[in-house]
Amino acid sequence: MKEPVRVLFVNSEIFPYMPESTMSLIGRYLPQGIQEAGKEIRSFMPRYGCINERRNQLHEVIRLSGMNIVINNLDRPLVIKVSSIPSARMQVYFIDNEDYFHRKFVYEDAEGNFIEDNDERAAFFARGILETVKKLRWKPDIIHCHGWISHLLPLYLKKAYKNDPIFTDCKVVLSIYDDHLNCRFSPEMKTKILMPGVKAKDIEPLSGTDGINLAKLAISYSDAIIQCTETPCPELAAFIEERGLPVLGYTDTRQPEGEYIKVYNGFYDKILDNNVN
């Protein structure tokens, strides 16, 4: 019997853990729909400090926690938590660390400034997911990334983890939103995100440390793109066209439940069949 296709969802936001938004609702309903279509799924997001653990019944997965990840020359303990959405028969894994994710703010501080270590948080999030998937011994066919905090994962997957058998032949689908394209990261970001297997030349698309260039870096290491805004950023659209990547144009996610999910599911199948124009 043929193994089901496995899709790993890397989410910036999932409702009900985060407020309703286009991204959080996709994070909630897309994995459920893809699972109901017969694929296996795993879903990850950061454990932001604003998430109420008791109300949402998060608990630590001891067998997956306990590893340290070195970010900016410091060991950061990786903690994995999990919660269930019973109505969707779906579990959500949370990447947690006291230094990065226990503050009550998500991306901006109380004054509305982009948090200074957001680049480190993105690096920890991406690497934490890849290490956790290895521990799960769950081999994904597709990794679907949503939101800027997921944008380092394609780089790490294709460079640092390219020879790991868990990720052999895995395809990266990148959803492009208009979130935080104008944000500015630390000037030291280019050195802070390096790790064994990732060299300075690998991050050349990161010509500037802002959201647009981070998206370009993610695009450079992705296999296919989904446009999630009706009016895509012209600079990113041109960059995607230069790369010659398969693109699924904007699909209204406010359609009746299941319509856009069917479109996305078909796009996954075409990517795996190498039959995408």
Side-chain angles (χ1 to χ4, degrees):
M1 186 174 177
K2 188 178 179 183
E3 291 273 321
V5 170
R6 292 175 166 183
V7 184
L8 172 64
F9 291 95
V10 180
N11 304 281
S12 293
E13 306 169 16
I14 299 174
F15 178 80
Y17 308 106
M18 297 292 288
E20 283 194 32
S21 67
T22 297
M23 202 181 303
S24 72
L25 290 174
I26 290 174
R28 163 63 180 84
Y29 291 104
L30 178 61
Q32 177 185 349
I34 295 302
Q35 180 172 256
E36 290 172 352
K39 294 177 168 59
E40 282 188 20
I41 64 106
R42 294 288 187 276
S43 209
F44 282 81
M45 71 170 285
R47 207 294 284 176
Y48 304 113
C50 60
I51 295 172
N52 186 306
E53 293 199 359
R54 181 176 296 179
R55 184 170 64 240
N56 291 293
Q57 298 185 333
L58 272 68
H59 62 270
E60 184 176 350
V61 186
I62 302 297
R63 68 184 178 90
L64 297 176
S65 299
M67 181 187 310
N68 280 1
I69 294 177
V70 179
I71 303 288
N72 199 23
N73 297 318
L74 289 173
D75 277 359
R76 306 287 191 183
L78 172 63
V79 177
I80 305 299
K81 293 175 180 173
V82 70
S83 177
S84 295
I85 302 177
S87 60
R89 294 185 298 107
M90 186 173 88
Q91 284 189 321
V92 176
Y93 291 91
F94 294 83
I95 299 295
D96 197 6
N97 171 267
E98 185 174 356
D99 295 318
Y100 289 140
F101 295 115
H102 281 208
R103 62 199 68 166
K104 293 300 180 185
F105 307 103
V106 180
Y107 304 135
E108 289 93 12
D109 62 20
E111 285 73 46
N113 301 310
F114 203 58
I115 297 171
E116 189 174 351
D117 65 355
N118 272 339
D119 49 1
E120 296 180 31
R121 298 169 84 204
F124 187 89
F125 178 57
R127 291 176 59 186
I129 290 172
L130 294 170
E131 290 295 338
T132 303
V133 172
K134 283 177 60 178
K135 274 195 173 183
L136 287 168
R137 303 183 69 82
W138 189 79
K139 182 179 170 64
D141 298 292
I142 286 177
I143 299 179
H144 191 169
C145 297
H146 299 262
W148 75 266
I149 204 167
S150 73
H151 282 180
L152 289 174
L153 190 142
L155 164 70
Y156 291 148
L157 178 76
K158 296 298 180 71
K159 289 297 178 179
Y161 292 80
K162 64 180 179 181
N163 295 321
D164 192 299
I166 288 289
F167 300 110
T168 305
D169 301 322
C170 180
K171 304 292 186 184
V172 178
V173 177
L174 180 69
S175 277
I176 299 292
Y177 299 83
D178 57 3
D179 69 313
H180 296 86
L181 292 180
N182 297 319
C183 66
R184 303 292 305 185
F185 295 96
S186 160
E188 291 80 39
M189 180 179 186
K190 291 182 184 180
T191 57
K192 289 196 288 184
I193 66 174
L194 296 178
M195 65 170 292
V198 178
K199 301 176 182 177
K201 67 180 180 63
D202 299 327
I203 59 173
E204 285 177 358
L206 199 62
S207 57
T209 53
D210 58 30
I212 285 181
N213 283 289
L214 180 59
K216 286 182 178 180
L217 183 68
I219 292 163
S220 297
Y221 293 100
S222 295
D223 298 290
I225 304 296
I226 296 178
Q227 291 287 7
C228 291
T229 56
E230 289 186 78
T231 53
C233 167
E235 187 174 344
L236 290 182
F239 189 77
I240 292 165
E241 188 172 354
E242 286 172 17
R243 305 287 302 180
L245 293 173
V247 177
L248 177 64
Y250 175 73
T251 305
D252 189 354
T253 57
R254 298 167 299 177
Q255 290 177 5
E257 188 173 337
E259 287 305 308
Y260 81 92
I261 294 171
K262 291 176 186 175
V263 174
Y264 282 26
N265 192 43
F267 191 58
Y268 296 159
D269 291 338
K270 288 180 180 179
I271 292 164
L272 293 174
D273 291 340
N274 295 315
N275 188 30
V276 184
N277 296 319

